[in-house]
Amino acid sequence: GDSVTQMEGPVTLSEEAFLTINCTYTATGYPSLFWYVQYPGEGLQLLLKATKADDKGSNKGFEATYRKETTSFHLEKGSVQVSDSAVYFCALFSGTYKYIFGTGTRLKVLA
Amino acid sequence: KAGVTQTPRYLIKTRGQQVTLSCSPISGHRSVSWYQQTPGQGLQFLFEYFSETQRNKGNFPGRFSGRQFSNSRSEMNVSTLELGDSALYLCASSSTSDHEQYFGPGTRLTVT
């Protein structure tokens, strides 16, 4: 069945460091891919999305490219801030009315 | 546009009791999904409703049930609560056009 695998956390970085959170997926067909972010005490918020191969989603300095050949959707940011500390979830929508979420990666950014 | 609202935000129940959680989706959204979030299991899909019909269901026991009303508001019910049901229950709504999910703040359920 469809699945999402993302890197284990926590990830601890210094402010202004480069961030990569790896995400790979298994799916039949052509799923849409998403990154969601969850700040402490809140629900999930959509960060960015890509709906077809080679699409690049971007928002708030974060980027991810839909790579069908490697079935990946890695999240990147060139310079993280303390305010980026949160849990990040990779997800796919397979078209069977169900989202598949990764286990989440906790990011901690130190000043 | 108002976001997804969930009530109550916090609940404390005793083992064996039942509980009902409520979710009001964003206006115009007809799809509502429910998730259970725990530190050990992450985010797990419970079920999804569209136009009052359950379209998909996750791997949870029959103690977990839900429904959707004609105004798209949804409720989920957990009967015969167990300690392991303690979790954050998240509701998300989406439109049929883009499948982006908009999450509510969740209901924190503690079973003692």
Side-chain angles (χ1 to χ4, degrees):
Chain A
D2 297 347
S3 66
V4 173
T5 302
Q6 61 181 105
M7 62 189 289
E8 294 281 332
V11 174
T12 303
L13 296 173
S14 298
E15 206 166 25
E16 298 184 6
F18 184 86
L19 168 71
T20 300
I21 300 178
N22 291 336
C23 171
T24 57
Y25 68 91
T26 302
T28 54
Y30 304 93
S32 295
L33 301 175
F34 303 83
W35 277 100
Y36 284 83
V37 59
Q38 185 177 34
Y39 298 102
E42 298 183 12
L44 278 69
Q45 301 174 25
L46 177 64
L47 182 59
L48 53 83
K49 70 174 185 179
T51 58
K52 61 183 186 296
D54 300 325
D55 263 4
K56 177 186 282 189
S58 61
N59 186 25
K60 299 180 182 179
F62 291 90
E63 293 182 340
T65 301
Y66 190 143
R67 301 284 189 200
K68 188 161 178 60
E69 64 277 12
T70 54
T71 62
S72 65
F73 193 55
H74 304 322
L75 182 68
E76 297 181 334
K77 187 176 186 183
S79 176
V80 294
Q81 305 300 312
V82 172
S83 58
D84 294 327
S85 298
V87 180
Y88 293 81
F89 293 88
C90 184
L92 68 83
F93 181 78
S94 66
T96 56
Y97 315 120
K98 185 168 72 171
Y99 264 71
I100 308 294
F101 281 86
T103 53
T105 302
R106 182 174 300 276
L107 170 66
K108 184 173 182 179
V109 181
L110 305 176
Chain B
K1 189 186 270 190
V4 177
T5 58
Q6 292 186 246
T7 56
R9 291 293 311 276
Y10 302 92
L11 265 180
I12 300 176
K13 290 287 189 178
T14 305
R15 272 179 301 177
Q17 289 186 314
Q18 75 164 16
V19 66
T20 299
L21 312 182
S22 180
C23 171
S24 293
I26 289 173
S27 177
H29 284 188
R30 295 164 64 189
S31 170
V32 174
S33 298
W34 288 89
Y35 297 87
Q36 181 195 66
Q37 186 177 26
T38 59
Q41 298 297 318
L43 202 65
Q44 292 190 291
F45 172 77
L46 280 155
F47 27 66
E48 189 259 357
Y49 286 88
F50 179 83
S51 292
E52 303 178 67
T53 300
Q54 186 182 88
R55 291 197 299 192
N56 213 332
K57 190 176 190 303
N59 296 322
F60 278 81
R63 300 185 297 107
F64 292 81
S65 63
R67 60 178 176 168
Q68 186 180 34
F69 303 94
S70 58
N71 62 358
S72 294
R73 190 176 70 85
S74 178
E75 291 181 346
M76 68 163 282
N77 184 276
V78 188
S79 62
T80 320
L81 283 166
E82 301 177 359
L83 294 179
D85 297 333
S86 295
L88 180 68
Y89 290 88
L90 293 165
C91 162
S93 74
S94 63
S95 71
T96 53
S97 59
D98 58 18
H99 307 298
E100 294 177 11
Q101 293 209 314
Y102 295 82
F103 283 80
T107 294
R108 172 77 60 188
L109 172 65
T110 302
V111 182
T112 63

